[in-house]
Amino acid sequence: MSFIADALGVIFSLAGLAALVAGTAIGIVVGALPGLGPSIGISLLIPFTYNMSPEISMLLLISLYMAAEYGGSVSAILLSTPGTAAAAATTIDGFAMTQKGEANRALAISLSASTVGGLVGGLALLFLAAPLSTLALQFGPASYFAVGLFGLTSVAALSGGSLIKGLLGAALGLMLAFVGIDPISGFPRFTMGEVALFEGVPMLAALIGLFAVSEALLLAENAMRERKKVGRGAVKSVMLSLSDWKHLIGTMLQGSVIGTLLGILPGVGGNIACWVARDVAVRRNPDLKFGEGEGRGVAAPESSNNATVGGAMVPLLSLGVPGSPTTAVIVGALVMHGLRPGPQLFNEQPVLVYSVLLGLLLSSVVMFIVGSLALPWLARVVNLSDAVLAAGIIVFAILGAYALRNLQFDIWLTLGFGALGYLMKKLSFPVAPVVLAMVLGYMVESNFRTALVSSQGSYDIFINEPVSAVFLALSVLSIALPLWRHMRRRKHTDAAQS
């Protein structure tokens, strides 16, 4: 209780509340801008949190994460252009409502559903993270290796729709994770004599380059394209009526539960949860006209994608395994502050952990308040041109890369990662597995080698430990199921062609 009291003191301090409000406002803007999203917003903001305490830094970042998941629906509803992948399902009924003159109602449903989803996901995080971390403290090196491997395989299998490309991205991330001082022998490896790489490839340079700089290059490439504009005064009140609350609360809670459960699974984010929640809503209400401006078609996906935020934080805090690409970026923020997520964090930094657990709940409330009051102004940010966005991202990326260690080397490294990310996106290679593999690489390698040392070289330790055996089996399934689906789909295609 003393840790909870200290965490509440941090949250309700002037700095804590300012971080929540600022993160929420920035998150709505970042989410609403097509092409950006929570991963890019957080990666750009991390360098500017270096001088903050870890607790205030995390409050800023998790509130941005929560609000950005909601912000994607703003451009989806107003322009039929989802600001984030998780808002894609919202576009169908959301834009149809705008065409019927119900833009404000659609935005009100989205805001209310996102708030409900955030609260449900936050409650799940509050009640599940601590028990799971207590259980995880009993894990040995073999179990931690298996958990990390499961995180790698599931993300590789579920990123970008291509198993091979996802695995190649994860393999590249692992190669980058091996650069630096060997965790067992203490000798430098793959550094090419560059002292700046002795501590490993800077996570911040990789995050900013792969997510932000690459997107800036894509925006600059499309700077001349025409984009729809939101007219002045198009968005007014976004408060949901009491009758809408009564009709939609069941759908919101249903989508929230779906989003929370899918968010806990590593690699499954809001971009999958939103479609699953919408599909369930359609099946349960066959008499309604989905696709023609049905409110449940907005409430279901929006509640689910915000619920995935709390769900994705569960494996991050309890096991040290990021549940989504955005939580992998948040790991970078923790590492920058000298912290490593996992069950030990509950013992080493209990105030930080409870600040995150309680702050995520409060961020949903702050999002509702800020959205209700400021959305008529914040919504107009979608009118910014791609050229302006690209220039702003590059400037912040260079400043952020240099700020951490004051090394010019980091700037060039960030730009290099940006070029790599640009090529990967142009070739339809998913970027997320690279970062997630870099995050999980140390955990996988160090525990694998420690387990072999403790077993005197016997690989039986990975099968004899029950937890390790279960997660290794799940890792095999994570690879086998997508392969089976691909072969089945190809068989049906060949049969149809013949």
Side-chain angles (χ1 to χ4, degrees):
M1 292 303 297
S2 63
F3 297 139
I4 293 176
D6 291 340
L8 289 173
V10 172
I11 294 171
F12 288 100
S13 66
L14 183 60
L17 292 174
L20 286 172
V21 173
T24 299
I26 296 171
I28 293 175
V29 169
V30 167
L33 289 168
L36 304 187
S39 300
I40 296 174
I42 292 176
S43 63
L44 286 174
L45 205 59
I46 286 177
F48 303 98
T49 65
Y50 187 64
N51 292 324
M52 299 179 184
S53 68
E55 292 82 7
I56 299 300
S57 170
M58 290 303 298
L59 288 176
L60 180 66
L61 299 181
I62 61 174
S63 60
L64 188 154
Y65 184 11
M66 180 69 73
E69 290 292 349
Y70 157 68
S73 68
V74 176
S75 53
I77 291 169
L78 296 176
L79 303 177
S80 187
T81 306
T84 62
T90 307
T91 306
I92 301 172
D93 283 284
F95 188 64
M97 293 178 72
T98 297
Q99 291 178 312
K100 291 164 59 177
E102 298 180 352
N104 286 320
R105 178 169 174 261
L107 289 169
I109 293 173
S110 172
L111 178 61
S112 301
S114 296
T115 302
V116 172
L119 289 172
V120 172
L123 287 171
L125 175 64
L126 184 63
F127 289 109
L128 291 178
L132 280 176
S133 70
T134 302
L135 177 64
L137 285 172
Q138 311 303 318
F139 290 2
S143 298
Y144 270 118
F145 161 75
V147 169
L149 184 64
F150 171 61
L152 285 175
T153 55
S154 61
V155 168
L158 294 168
S159 292
S162 171
L163 174 62
I164 300 301
K165 290 182 177 180
L167 289 174
L168 287 174
L172 175 60
L174 282 176
M175 290 171 60
L176 294 171
F178 294 151
V179 175
I181 301 295
D182 187 301
I184 303 298
S185 67
F187 286 99
R189 56 188 184 180
F190 311 121
T191 60
M192 297 173 288
E194 179 61 57
V195 177
L197 291 175
F198 276 25
E199 296 179 359
V201 175
M203 180 63 67
L204 191 61
L207 293 175
I208 297 176
L210 290 171
F211 284 104
V213 175
S214 63
E215 193 62 39
L217 295 175
L218 290 173
L219 289 170
E221 184 180 23
N222 300 320
M224 299 305 293
R225 68 180 177 178
E226 289 291 328
R227 181 188 285 180
K228 298 175 184 177
K229 300 288 185 180
V230 175
R232 187 184 298 272
V235 182
K236 298 176 183 176
S237 171
V238 290
M239 294 297 291
L240 194 62
S241 66
L242 186 60
S243 61
D244 274 332
W245 270 109
K246 292 179 179 178
H247 285 101
L248 299 174
I249 187 63
T251 303
M252 293 179 187
L253 292 173
Q254 173 185 287
S256 300
V257 172
I258 292 171
T260 301
L261 294 176
L262 292 179
I264 292 174
L265 298 175
V268 184
N271 54 338
I272 296 176
C274 67
W275 291 107
V276 174
R278 186 180 189 277
D279 182 61
V280 171
V282 171
R283 292 174 184 273
R284 293 195 63 182
N285 302 278
D287 54 321
L288 298 179
K289 296 181 179 179
F290 284 87
E292 300 180 14
E294 168 56 45
R296 287 177 175 83
V298 175
E302 282 305 301
S303 57
S304 67
N305 59 36
N306 273 83
T308 61
V309 175
M313 294 292 290
V314 172
L316 170 67
L317 291 177
S318 58
L319 301 175
V321 176
S324 69
T326 306
T327 50
V329 180
I330 292 176
V331 170
L334 289 170
V335 171
M336 192 184 73
H337 284 283
L339 305 171
R340 187 163 289 276
Q344 295 88 353
L345 200 63
F346 282 77
N347 292 331
E348 297 169 359
Q349 296 287 336
V351 176
L352 170 66
V353 170
Y354 283 107
S355 295
V356 172
L357 299 180
L358 299 173
L360 195 67
L361 277 172
L362 188 60
S363 68
S364 299
V365 179
V366 173
M367 179 181 69
F368 183 80
I369 296 172
V370 172
S372 300
L373 297 176
L375 196 58
W377 294 276
L378 293 177
R380 290 169 58 189
V381 77
V382 299
N383 290 337
L384 287 174
S385 69
D386 287 344
V388 172
L389 291 177
I393 290 172
I394 292 294
V395 169
F396 278 106
I398 291 175
L399 288 174
Y402 185 75
L404 184 60
R405 300 192 297 179
N406 296 328
L407 293 177
Q408 190 177 9
F409 176 82
D410 290 346
I411 295 177
W412 293 114
L413 196 61
T414 299
L415 296 176
F417 272 113
L420 173 64
Y422 172 79
L423 289 174
M424 291 181 69
K425 290 178 179 179
K426 294 292 286 186
L427 297 173
S428 300
F429 276 82
V431 172
V434 180
V435 175
L436 289 166
M438 289 181 66
V439 170
L440 294 173
Y442 176 84
M443 174 183 177
V444 170
E445 182 199 7
S446 60
N447 284 289
F448 175 75
R449 295 172 66 182
T450 302
L452 288 179
V453 169
S454 63
S455 67
Q456 297 181 339
S458 174
Y459 290 90
D460 292 344
I461 188 173
F462 298 107
I463 301 174
N464 293 335
E465 286 193 17
V467 174
S468 175
V470 168
F471 276 101
L472 286 176
L474 290 174
S475 299
V476 173
L477 284 176
S478 296
I479 300 296
L481 284 178
L483 279 174
W484 178 75
R485 292 194 195 102
H486 175 72
M487 293 172 64
R488 186 180 178 186
R489 195 182 306 116
R490 188 171 182 178
K491 184 178 179 181
H492 285 311
T493 303
D494 293 341
Q497 290 175 348
S498 61

